[in-house]
Amino acid sequence: MTTATTGKRPLGAVGRVLARREARVALLFVLPAFLLFLAFRFGPSIAGVALSLFDYDITGEIAWRGLDHFQRLVADPLFWRAMGTTVVYTVFAVPISLVLSTVMALGVRRAFRGSRFFRSIFFLPVITSLVLAGSIFVWIFSANGPWSALMSPLGLGGSWLGSTVLVIPAIIVVGVWSRFGYGMMILIAAMQDVPRELEEAALMDGANAWQRFRSIILPHLRPTFFFLAVIETTAAFQVFDVIYVMTQGGPANASYSLVYLLYDQGFKYFDYGYAAAVGVALFAMTLVVALVQRLVIGKQR
Amino acid sequence: MRVSKFTGVAAGIAAAALLAGCSAGGGQASSGEKHVTLWMYPVVADEATNKSFWDDTIAAFEKEHKDITVDYEIFPWANRDEALQTAIAAGKGPDLVYLVPDQLAAYKKSIAPMNDLLSAERQKDLLPNVKDSVTIDGDLMAAPVLTSAQPLVCNAAVFQQAGVAEYPKTWDDVKRLAPTFAAKGFSMLNYPASAENTLNMTFYPVLWQAGGEVYDKDGGVGFDSEAGEKALTFLTDLATAKALDPEALTTNVPLEQTAIAQGKVACTFNNAVTEVAPFWGKENVKVLPPLKGEKSVAYGTVGSLAVLKGSKAPEAAAAFAEYATGADVVKPFLTAAGYFSALSTTEPLYADDPLLGEVEKYVPDTTVGQLATSSRALMGVLSPEIQAALLGQKSPADALKDAAAAAAPILKK
Amino acid sequence: MTAATPTTTQALTTPDRGRRATGRGRSRSYRALEPTGLGVVLRWIWLSIAAILSFFPFYAMVVLSLKPGKVVELPGSLLPWNLSFDSYAQVLGGQNLLGWLGNTLVYSLVSVVAVLFLSALAGYAFAKKRFAGKEVMFWSFLAMVMVPFHVTLIPTFILMANLGGVDTYWGLILPTLANAQAVFLMRQFIEGLPDELFEAARIDGAGEFRIFLRIVLPLCKPILATLGIFVFLWHWNDFLWPLIIGKSNAMFTLTVGISSLQQQNVPLSTMLAGSVVALLPIFLAYLVAQRYVQEGVTGTGIKG
């Protein structure tokens, strides 16, 4: 579907010169971004990852620990607890968010009176920093808040943030609320790309909305879904802000995520080496999942 | 391959920068002019008052010490540790910074002890319990600015509404009175159990009242003891009897939304009189001695100014710290913030204020507990276990045992 | 998009992928794809419900911030009367708001321009050029997103400190310019542009950089608009990095400054007033810019 990035140029002598020139220009174009990445992503990441093999404290003392931190990590029940919380959060928040994004995108993708208004409303949570919105959500989920009032008839009243069982669903709700608009916008753009003739033809063949979605729109969305899946999963694995402002990992560590563990170990207890080990574990997890997603969802080429 | 070469170079640069930053603040030849930077926080809530105090104090100090200039910056409470740590790690920390005892323990390696920097006279003037609270391994770590006290504070209006005529003095009193309050829909005690509350204000006073300690004398776990279990059981029994505000057990909400501010809780030992007086009405605030388990003990924080090791002008910084914390100089600061003097030689600050004057009487007897580098990490593992016990998910004995197990790797270091 | 032909701006800025048939023959089946009658009403209903749920937290924030000092109770506190601006007076009185606002604007705008330019350059190279190590480089860019922020925080700060960037604008901005998502989105978009456009210019003898400036960038307007908004917003809301790199009140950004007002025991209404003040500028900016965002998004081809 993509226009080929590799042209079908003949590679005679002239061709080779041109190809080398192209490569040089290309590298020049990539250079500024690449240098920035080296300095501020690769460099600090490697330093941060390397820290996991040492004990490092703020006075600058470094001591070699080898794999000690990782041994401690594996034996730490709080690590596994945080892993469980993070995984549960991701497993629910990402699909729900993607489904919601898709449904909303389908609903507002065509222009009609008010479509722009609705798109804006759904996008507002995306531009809202959770650090600033946290306090209103604490109230919403409190025992006297509107969410409890809504859930009372279902027998689920009371403060969700105070329940070790319901606290994760609560942060999932907030997490989804704050991100679904982003996916929605990206999906709207991707859906614009679907040739209308195809949909019209299917309609005339008698296909209903769901069938049209499944056989025509969905295949076109595959690469977009891959992109969104990786981005949303990475973000979900790194869930921190919403927990920091709403629950601080509680009650009784029920909403303690991996990045929260990292944060506590590094910035509260000054154990940077151990924190870096948590970071490495998280990075590895995210990478593995991304690779799996590539296999399953894949990119069209 | 080009990519890997770049990566190698980058890693080298990053590593070199990291190591260069590690040798924080090397010594430098002192010029005639000495410059001191102070990092302060909104101890006085009103920014204008806070600023004018420091402006005036610095102006007066600089007049007496013509070769020293002082700059200050007021930082938000939020994320102050990250800001401070990253600054210290990169050698960009201040000379002087406001710290509380737990921070003194955590930042111990970065603080320059003040044994020789603070005058002997001042050290003698400090209240003994205050001096203890800023001393670690015999080193005086900071110049105390203020102290507080957390005795028992009760709401007379609630007692009246519940028909209770006597105020509790001991744990037994509390256990006895709790059902009466519960029957009328009041909670007996305020106990905020969520993770962001420091145990110094919640569990540790109860532990100390039971005769227990957080650390044993070898620096190992001390709370997993008979006294510890007694303390936690006292609390869990209250929780089961509905004598503790359930919302406070799990969530921190803004003060005016809490049950205690709304007059639904009888007593508290973790709120200041200045906090509750606006809600209860001054006439309803009763200041009482701390509850007695085996002993009657209360927590009292200490705010202090510490000199950091990376400072290029430690003597100048200490001189300013001593000046700013002098009895007369610091008085407007204390009264604006509602805190108490750390010096034994000052007159009572609040002789005219019935409430603060009462609290002031308990100041010399408060404690900050034992200071250790692992204090915060220990609280981090103990607090959720206590919360779990209070929520009925574990027995107190199990909670303390699990906490002790989780604390083992932390204390090993 | 309405039933009429696309606006001229869209026609100029969006590459024609042969998917917009014009002419009357289209309108019949087009309308068939749209819901009618009951369908329209139903759509309005469920979109409105979703919009109410989505917007409710903002409404609550504003209303509760206008009810200082009261204990919040349902549903009374949510009703929009008995309002008072006291909390706002508390938040705004005597603060360096303009300074913070200025810092945030500098931080956000400069970053946007820099990120857009650099990621367009890189994205173009990744999309249209062949060179050794391309795939590895690209995927390593993306992999860096997976390293948690706090892990790189201290090494990044140490690096900036040693370069003398603490408490400066460039120290604030520079590390945030390494944006993998931006490069990714630019690459995706540019891949969808037909090669012929560049070939023609190349045959005419135009230099590569010229081609980039004169042809690629203009064609990228939709994605640049969208990406620009995302980057702007991310920088506007950024809290931890500006807090750490700035050491004085003069260097605070809006979010850091507002949070500095949150002392212990600040009432809910004051906290919310602070949040509203910090959010208002971007909401307004978004309302103004949303037309361009949406046109940009609908014109963006995010394909594989």
Side-chain angles (χ1 to χ4, degrees), chain C residues 147-232:
Chain C
V147 179
F149 172 66
H150 291 100
V151 168
T152 55
L153 188 61
I154 289 195
T156 309
F157 181 78
I158 291 181
L159 180 60
M160 290 315 295
N162 282 291
L163 294 176
V166 172
D167 217 29
T168 63
Y169 278 126
W170 70 267
L172 175 63
I173 293 171
L174 202 59
T176 64
L177 298 182
N179 189 327
Q181 281 189 43
V183 174
F184 191 93
L185 284 173
M186 291 307 306
R187 181 182 105 144
Q188 294 298 87
F189 182 81
I190 297 179
E191 266 177 2
L193 301 176
D195 285 350
E196 300 77 57
L197 296 170
F198 315 126
E199 290 302 328
R202 215 169 275 132
I203 290 173
D204 281 346
E208 285 296 342
F209 193 62
R210 218 201 232 150
I211 297 180
F212 173 72
L213 279 181
R214 294 289 170 81
I215 302 184
V216 178
L217 276 187
L219 284 174
C220 289
K221 278 217 197 83
I223 185 72
L224 286 176
T226 314
L227 194 53
I229 301 276
F230 284 161
V231 173
F232 183 83

Side-chain angles (χ1 to χ4, degrees), chain B residues 185-344:
Chain B
F186 296 104
S187 305
M188 175 82 216
L189 271 186
N190 191 41
Y191 189 89
S194 83
E196 69 225 66
N197 296 295
T198 168
L199 290 181
N200 283 322
M201 301 270 262
T202 54
F203 182 64
Y204 287 173
V206 179
L207 176 64
W208 300 328
Q209 285 165 11
E213 293 285 0
V214 179
Y215 294 93
D216 65 22
K217 46 187 178 48
D218 305 311
V221 163
F223 55 78
D224 188 18
S225 60
E226 210 184 296
E229 201 178 324
K230 237 196 314 181
L232 191 49
T233 315
F234 172 62
L235 291 170
T236 50
D237 285 345
L238 286 176
T240 336
K242 303 234 187 312
L244 299 180
D245 171 30
E247 182 175 50
L249 289 181
T250 54
T251 334
N252 264 20
V253 292
L255 184 61
E256 80 279 4
Q257 312 290 338
T258 56
I260 180 133
Q262 293 170 33
K264 304 250 182 44
V265 182
C267 296
T268 172
F269 56 91
N270 33 61
N271 297 87
V273 293
T274 44
E275 281 177 3
V276 292
F279 296 103
W280 296 354
K282 277 194 167 168
E283 66 285 2
N284 284 320
V285 180
K286 292 276 171 283
V287 178
L288 302 158
L291 285 175
K292 183 159 185 254
E294 297 290 312
K295 338 194 235 176
S296 172
V297 181
Y299 174 75
T301 191
V302 172
S304 56
L305 294 176
V307 177
L308 292 179
K309 274 199 181 137
S311 166
K312 298 195 185 67
E315 294 88 10
F320 179 69
E322 182 158 353
Y323 176 78
T325 57
D328 297 319
V329 177
V330 80
K331 187 163 161 193
F333 186 74
L334 294 176
T335 42
Y339 285 110
F340 308 97
S341 168
L343 304 169
S344 59

Side-chain angles (χ1 to χ4, degrees), chain B residues 58 120 158 211 350 394 404:
Chain B
I58 289 175
V158 171
Y350 301 98
K394 290 191 187 185

Side-chain angles (χ1 to χ4, degrees), chain C residues 53-101:
Chain C
L53 288 176
S54 203
F55 192 73
F56 176 74
F58 301 113
Y59 172 74
M61 236 197 276
V62 172
V63 170
L64 291 182
S65 71
L66 293 170
K67 303 211 172 170
K70 301 245 204 65
V71 175
V72 180
E73 44 183 36
L74 294 177
S77 296
L78 289 177
L79 298 175
W81 34 80
N82 291 339
L83 307 175
S84 141
F85 281 92
D86 279 353
S87 299
Y88 286 92
Q90 250 194 335
V91 164
L92 298 175
Q95 302 300 338
N96 186 16
L97 267 183
L98 281 179
W100 299 339
L101 189 59

Side-chain angles (χ1 to χ4, degrees), chain A residues 32-114:
Chain A
F34 187 68
L35 285 179
L36 281 172
F37 267 82
L38 269 188
F40 299 111
R41 290 263 175 261
F42 291 116
S45 300
I46 291 172
V49 162
L51 263 176
S52 65
L53 301 171
F54 296 85
D55 261 342
Y56 174 71
D57 71 34
I58 50 172
T59 61
E61 283 174 36
I62 302 191
W64 172 260
R65 293 293 298 271
L67 294 177
D68 280 354
H69 291 312
F70 293 98
Q71 278 179 335
R72 179 176 158 204
L73 202 64
V74 167
D76 187 350
L78 189 55
F79 170 70
W80 293 107
R81 179 132 206 205
M83 167 94 79
T85 305
T86 310
V87 167
V88 167
Y89 174 80
T90 307
V91 158
F92 284 97
V94 174
I96 294 177
S97 181
L98 287 181
V99 165
L100 201 57
S101 301
T102 313
V103 167
M104 289 304 155
L106 284 172
V108 295
R109 65 175 169 140
R110 307 250 185 256
F112 57 89
R113 286 263 288 282

Side-chain angles (χ1 to χ4, degrees), chain B residues 82-103:
Chain B
E82 285 97 305
L84 188 56
Q85 285 167 50
T86 43
I88 293 178
K92 297 271 174 191
D95 297 288
L96 216 51
V97 59
Y98 176 86
L99 297 175
V100 292
D102 277 344
Q103 284 177 301

